[in-house]
Amino acid sequence: MTSVLSYLRLPRRLRPVAALAVALTAAVLPGVARAEQVPSFVQDGTLTVCTNPTLPPMTFVKGQDVTHPEGFDIDVAQALATRWHARLSVITMDFTGLFPSLSAQRCGLVMSGIIRTPAREKSFDAVSYQDTALVVVGRKGTPSLSSMDELSGKDVAVESGTSYVTRLGVVNDALIAAGKPPMIIQQYPTEEQVVQQVLIGRVFAFVSQDVELFYRMRQLGDKLHVLITPNIPDYRHFAIYIRQNPEDRTLLQNAISALDSDGTLQTFRTKWSVTDQSTKGDAAQAGAGGMFDWGAFFSALTSMAFLHGALITLSVALISHFIAITISVPIAIVLNSPQKSLLKVALEGYVSLFRAAPTLLQLLFIWNAVPQFFPIFREQWFTPFLATILALSINESAYQVEINRAALSAVDPGQELGASALGLSRRDIYWRVIFPQAFRIALPPTINEFINLLKITSLASVISLQELLAVTQIQVARTFAFTEYYAAALIYYLVMVFFFLFLQKRVERRFSWSDRKKVVSNAA
Amino acid sequence: MQHETTTNPMISVRGMSKLFGKFVALDRVDFDISRGEKIVVLGPSGSGKSTLIRTLNQIEPHDSGMLTIDGKLINEKTDPIQLRCMVGMVFQNYNLFPHLSVLENCILAPMRVRRMTRMEATALARRYLEQVGIPDQADKYPIQLSGGQQQRVAIARALCMQPEVMLFDEPTAALDPEAIVGVVGIMDELAEQGITTVCVTHEMAFSRRIADRIIFMDQGKIVEITPPETFFTSPKSERAQNFLNQMLRY
Ligand SMILES: Nc1ncnc2c1ncn2[C@@H]1O[C@H](COP(=O)(O)OP(=O)(O)OP(=O)(O)O)[C@@H](O)[C@H]1O
Ligand SMILES: [Mg+2]
């Protein structure tokens, strides 16, 4: 409407009148000047989309910036946002995190090359936007199949959390009913790992969608070929998923239909080669089975994406561990005191609970379950970064309590006696006498814990934290340079770990008072 | 030795008891110690000697009875820090702070508790380290010193707080004979300086030489309080007699 008003170039004082006139016209003549009605999942002028950017050409990271996925899905999402006069915000995460995030209202819709299935429609509304077909793919030279039954007893790889898993289950049930051995289904968290299993010959075939395959074929040249395209009517459409809401569904359906009829979708299809174009010529990228590509390795090593990922890994680990230590010292002191108390029982429960629960579960719980009870945790400020720090601080504090307890009880009780006989305050007894000695004892296991934590941060890719390993996987999905990118990631982890081991040595050298030989040799 | 038992005693104990759970470690003990007096506490192992002197600086608070130090009633409401400024203590195992140098061990409490500047505290510490005969060990760490040297540091550290009463809990028990001679020498010197001293020890010669009175304990009770000449020649109680016989066998 502002554009209409500025077009009219009316004197400023007349504008309110004009605005009223336009509004009236809009009300009287629906569809003429009225803006399209916006679905309720567009909030605060923002359309938030959850995606797992490891499925080219639908959604993947083409460049180095892992926070900016591209692809057919992203273009469609952008077109929708534009239609609804909204800003597009894309959240990237593991495939398995997509639907929980949608439930937790972290995003308005999920677009990630996901098949429309009746099972998913029980919990979510779906709108189809692209035809597709399921394909079973094997290595070049593998004879084609005439029916799915021929997969009996064979290893088949699929991406975990996808509908293929269910679909293959149906095939397996039929095989078992017919007295034949079922397929052995291997699930991998990302699409490129699925493909890699076939390339390295670990599995017989993988299951995917044709559109993805067209893209892979261009990357990998003639290393793959379609074994069979089974006719499964259920598995024919990619869909956009939203939380159930009939009105929103209709609005989304209308928007997609409009994009289809005005040729927008077709433009995108051509742009991303979503249909088969069999351009075998440009299989220029590093494929599996080749030599180690030093160029790819060094460009990964020096890329901003890896550096950024490593910084996230490092800062998450440092901040979490700092908080964990801060919490754990008072807890350890309380738990070490001889008196029984309710507080002590509660703290013991805390420590056991968080030592027992798997870290991955805690991360998923905080990210996906907690927001269902406390809406404040689905707001924008609660980023994956904060969620990871929250989960890891709590988790790590439970381990750190045990280290601190051991260290504090290893300090000779005579130290406290001696210090209090001198009249030192409780505070000074702890800070000047007990902590420095306990610190010396706790340092090596604490550094060990930290190194562990540094590596455990990689779990946070499931809640879409763009740490080092998540970055690596996204980059691998783009280039298929497994070895080179894994090697680059390894270098980053090694450098970080060795730095902290070095730091430990340096700090330990300052504790020469604990070792008679060292003091003597230092003095000499 | 003759001491003016004028006005109020330095330490006064009336019916004081200490329990560990149900176990009676101190059973209604009574005694007075005058200013400048030297007391040696003797008794078999487990008789409550350590417990007794630990109640005097309240690192083990007593459960019942009355404790007065320098005329001030000591109970759970007393600021323990003030009390410990006045009553220094030396332990059998020295309890030096291993992460601090000898000098730092000595200046920590004067600086943190007495609020001395580092310069004042250092000057004081050097004086006492000189007095205990190890002025040149100030920058070493405890682990680099012999047992005897460590105990001297512990004594200097306690003296740096300039206490009016010194408590010693078997200060020579962990030392070899040669080191004992040194440490006992220092305690002789301290005794001459007139500081009120309560010492648990098995050093009979030392006790005889410096003690004004001997407190003999058994099973948490004070059995007798007598001057050393009487105690070592003709103890009143049979238990003291047995104890002395046992000691003399070694
Ligand atoms: N913290 C404590 N908790 C429980 N019992 C204790 C504690 N401290 C001392 N006791 C007990 O109190 C009794 C007296 O102990 P204390 O250390 O005073 O004996 P002692 O005369 O110093 O013996 P020793 O000559 O062996 O040092 C002992 O039976 C001991 O087991
Ligand atoms: Mg004792």
Side-chain angles (χ1 to χ4, degrees):
Chain A
M1 293 229 177
T2 20
S3 59
V4 176
L5 287 181
S6 49
Y7 178 74
L8 289 176
R9 286 169 207 264
L10 289 172
R12 187 166 281 275
R13 65 199 155 83
L14 277 184
R15 281 195 188 172
V17 181
L20 187 66
V22 172
L24 282 175
T25 324
V28 175
L29 302 169
V32 174
R34 197 182 68 176
E36 188 171 320
Q37 204 188 332
V38 175
S40 68
F41 54 73
V42 175
Q43 279 166 358
D44 306 327
T46 307
L47 172 66
T48 314
V49 177
C50 280
T51 192
N52 170 230
T54 60
L55 266 71
M58 307 307 282
T59 164
F60 66 117
V61 176
K62 217 176 156 203
Q64 296 283 347
D65 186 356
V66 293
T67 56
H68 284 97
E70 297 176 56
F72 182 75
D73 284 356
I74 308 302
D75 280 355
V76 174
Q78 182 58 61
L80 287 173
T82 311
R83 250 194 117 70
W84 293 325
H85 303 287
R87 218 167 38 81
L88 178 68
S89 154
V90 180
I91 307 180
T92 60
M93 62 185 64
D94 256 28
F95 190 84
T96 42
L98 293 175
F99 284 103
S101 294
L102 184 59
S103 294
Q105 306 199 15
R106 274 228 169 74
C107 36
L109 52 84
V110 166
M111 272 190 98
S112 202
I114 304 180
I115 302 297
R116 180 170 193 165
T117 66
R120 289 194 182 117
E121 281 187 85
K122 279 193 193 121
S123 321
F124 301 96
D125 279 342
V127 171
S128 305
Y129 63 101
Q130 173 63 40
D131 292 343
T132 180
L134 188 140
V135 286
V136 178
V137 183
R139 265 204 296 187
K140 180 192 164 196
T142 317
S144 296
L145 308 174
S146 56
S147 93
M148 289 294 276
D149 289 356
E150 289 173 43
L151 288 170
S152 166
K154 298 219 156 61
D155 291 309
V156 178
V158 293
E159 187 177 346
S160 53
T162 60
S163 59
Y164 313 134
V165 184
T166 346
R167 184 56 227 172
L168 291 180
V170 176
V171 176
N172 263 351
D173 290 345
L175 285 172
I176 293 167
K180 292 184 190 167
M183 295 174 279
I184 298 139
I185 299 171
Q186 297 187 4
Q187 301 191 34
Y188 294 88
T190 53
E191 171 76 9
E192 80 282 356
Q193 288 190 62
V194 169
V195 178
Q196 177 76 348
Q197 302 315 307
V198 168
L199 291 174
I200 61 179
R202 179 172 293 132
V203 301
F204 175 76
F206 71 86
V207 175
S208 182
Q209 293 300 130
D210 53 1
V211 292
E212 286 154 35
L213 188 71
F214 298 146
Y215 185 86
R216 296 294 183 202
M217 295 288 226
R218 290 206 303 153
Q219 261 189 330
L220 300 168
D222 51 2
K223 290 188 177 120
L224 299 170
H225 90 118
V226 176
L227 302 178
I228 183 172
T229 308
N231 185 16
I232 306 169
D234 281 359
Y235 285 68
R236 288 236 164 263
H237 305 284
F238 284 130
I240 302 171
Y241 285 89
I242 55 173
R243 287 180 295 278
Q244 285 180 335
N245 180 331
E247 245 169 73
D248 285 351
R249 211 193 95 90
T250 313
L251 289 172
L252 179 58
Q253 182 69 66
N254 292 345
I256 290 292
S257 306
L259 289 178
D260 196 21
S261 49
D262 71 8
T264 310
L265 289 185
Q266 193 49 49
T267 317
F268 294 159
R269 277 177 198 130
T270 317
K271 175 180 171 193
W272 295 106
S273 331
V274 169
T275 41
D276 188 6
Q277 295 171 338
S278 300
T279 40
K280 278 186 186 160
D282 63 331
Q285 310 249 29
M291 295 296 290
F292 191 83
D293 180 349
W294 286 99
F297 169 72
F298 281 116
S299 78
L301 204 58
T302 53
S303 69
M304 280 313 286
F306 269 67
L307 189 64
H308 190 253
L311 283 179
I312 295 214
T313 291
L314 193 62
S315 45
V316 163
L318 280 173
I319 297 172
S320 309
H321 207 185
F322 177 77
I323 298 174
I325 291 172
T326 313
I327 310 173
S328 63
V329 172
I331 299 182
I333 291 173
V334 172
L335 290 182
N336 265 9
S337 71
Q339 306 97 302
K340 290 193 179 73
S341 72
L342 205 64
L343 176 67
K344 211 166 151 180
V345 176
L347 290 176
E348 243 148 31
Y350 169 91
V351 171
S352 327
L353 175 67
F354 289 106
R355 283 179 75 193
T359 316
L360 184 55
L361 183 64
Q362 293 177 37
L363 275 166
L364 290 171
F365 194 87
I366 285 183
W367 187 245
N368 294 326
V370 171
Q372 295 192 357
F373 306 103
F374 305 101
I376 189 171
F377 286 112
R378 54 175 95 108
E379 285 168 18
Q380 287 292 317
W381 63 268
F382 195 61
T383 57
F385 188 76
L386 282 182
T388 307
I389 286 176
L390 179 64
L392 293 184
S393 307
I394 294 173
N395 184 239
E396 189 54 39
S397 68
Y399 291 100
Q400 197 65 43
V401 163
E402 295 303 314
I403 292 177
N404 295 351
R405 285 182 73 170
L408 286 171
S409 27
V411 175
D412 174 14
Q415 292 293 307
E416 193 182 340
L417 271 186
S420 48
L422 282 169
L424 291 172
S425 63
R426 298 297 314 157
R427 201 190 133 82
D428 280 347
I429 292 175
Y430 273 108
W431 282 97
R432 305 276 170 163
V433 176
I434 297 180
F435 286 164
Q437 297 180 52
F439 182 69
R440 164 78 193 85
I441 301 163
L443 185 70
T446 301
I447 297 269
N448 255 349
E449 265 313 302
F450 178 75
I451 289 169
N452 243 343
L453 191 63
L454 199 67
K455 295 183 279 189
I456 281 177
T457 52
S458 61
L459 293 178
S461 63
V462 296
I463 65 165
S464 79
L465 182 71
Q466 296 302 323
E467 45 68 50
L468 186 50
L469 200 64
V471 169
T472 310
Q473 293 201 332
I474 289 169
Q475 295 289 336
V476 166
R478 179 174 64 88
T479 59
F480 255 74
F482 283 90
T483 325
E484 291 79 3
Y485 281 77
Y486 288 168
L490 179 67
I491 298 280
Y492 269 98
Y493 281 114
L494 288 182
V495 166
M496 289 190 281
V497 167
F498 285 144
F499 172 74
F500 283 100
L501 288 176
F502 167 77
L503 203 65
Q504 177 184 354
K505 282 265 142 48
R506 288 299 296 261
V507 177
E508 272 177 9
R509 215 179 289 166
R510 298 197 50 196
F511 291 114
S512 46
W513 51 263
S514 62
D515 186 339
R516 185 164 201 167
K517 274 187 232 130
K518 243 186 239 165
V519 191
V520 173
S521 66
N522 275 6
Chain B
M1 266 176 248
Q2 221 54 32
H3 278 281
E4 68 277 55
T5 41
T6 53
T7 57
N8 52 343
M10 187 71 206
I11 299 172
S12 170
V13 173
R14 290 288 173 277
M16 183 171 75
S17 296
K18 169 77 191 173
L19 303 173
F20 291 113
K22 287 214 166 67
F23 178 80
V24 186
L26 276 188
D27 191 359
R28 289 162 292 168
V29 297
D30 295 280
F31 59 87
D32 282 334
I33 298 175
S34 347
R35 224 166 269 276
E37 201 179 6
K38 317 281 170 265
I39 300 289
V40 166
V41 184
L42 294 176
S45 182
S47 56
K49 308 181 294 291
S50 296
T51 310
L52 175 70
I53 69 166
R54 283 173 182 205
T55 55
L56 299 184
N57 69 349
Q58 294 282 291
I59 58 175
E60 290 288 8
H62 58 288
D63 293 308
S64 58
M66 211 177 69
L67 169 65
T68 321
I69 293 188
D70 199 17
K72 283 189 277 293
L73 186 68
I74 306 296
N75 54 27
E76 59 274 15
K77 288 190 207 90
T78 325
D79 177 12
I81 289 172
Q82 264 188 341
L83 172 65
R84 286 163 198 163
C85 284
M86 206 161 72
V87 183
M89 182 158 190
V90 173
F91 299 84
Q92 176 177 343
N93 298 318
Y94 337 125
N95 295 347
L96 294 179
F97 307 135
H99 60 296
L100 299 180
S101 71
V102 165
L103 184 67
E104 289 164 337
N105 261 276
C106 293
I107 64 176
L108 177 65
M111 285 174 66
R112 299 297 305 170
V113 184
R114 287 225 188 268
R115 301 280 158 205
M116 289 188 193
T117 64
R118 178 173 287 270
M119 283 231 312
E120 292 166 345
T122 306
L124 191 67
R126 290 205 185 277
R127 206 167 81 215
Y128 284 114
L129 286 173
E130 176 97 53
Q131 186 182 337
V132 299
I134 45 167
D136 45 353
Q137 311 288 339
D139 296 322
K140 289 195 178 169
Y141 283 95
I143 203 168
Q144 296 170 279
L145 304 181
S146 72
Q149 289 173 320
Q150 291 191 50
Q151 194 59 293
R152 290 169 193 233
V153 175
I155 295 171
R157 184 175 75 172
L159 290 174
C160 281
M161 289 297 283
Q162 299 177 298
E164 296 181 39
V165 179
M166 278 289 278
L167 308 174
F168 292 89
D169 192 353
E170 308 201 32
T172 56
L175 301 180
D176 54 71
E178 207 177 326
I180 291 177
V181 175
V183 170
V184 165
I186 290 161
M187 291 171 63
D188 277 338
E189 246 176 76
L190 282 181
E192 274 160 33
Q193 287 168 14
I195 190 166
T196 312
T197 304
V198 184
C199 179
V200 178
T201 183
H202 293 293
E203 289 306 310
M204 293 304 160
F206 168 74
S207 308
R208 231 179 163 140
R209 191 164 63 243
I210 71 136
D212 296 320
R213 284 185 296 163
I214 303 278
I215 293 183
F216 177 70
M217 293 187 69
D218 193 18
Q219 297 183 357
K221 291 192 177 67
I222 293 183
V223 181
E224 57 182 277
I225 306 183
T226 33
E229 306 82 56
T230 330
F231 183 79
F232 286 110
T233 51
S234 51
K236 292 176 206 152
S237 64
E238 199 177 315
R239 273 184 281 182
Q241 186 67 64
N242 290 344
F243 174 75
L244 281 174
N245 286 344
Q246 246 162 13
M247 295 305 294
L248 291 176
R249 236 178 270 156
Y250 292 99

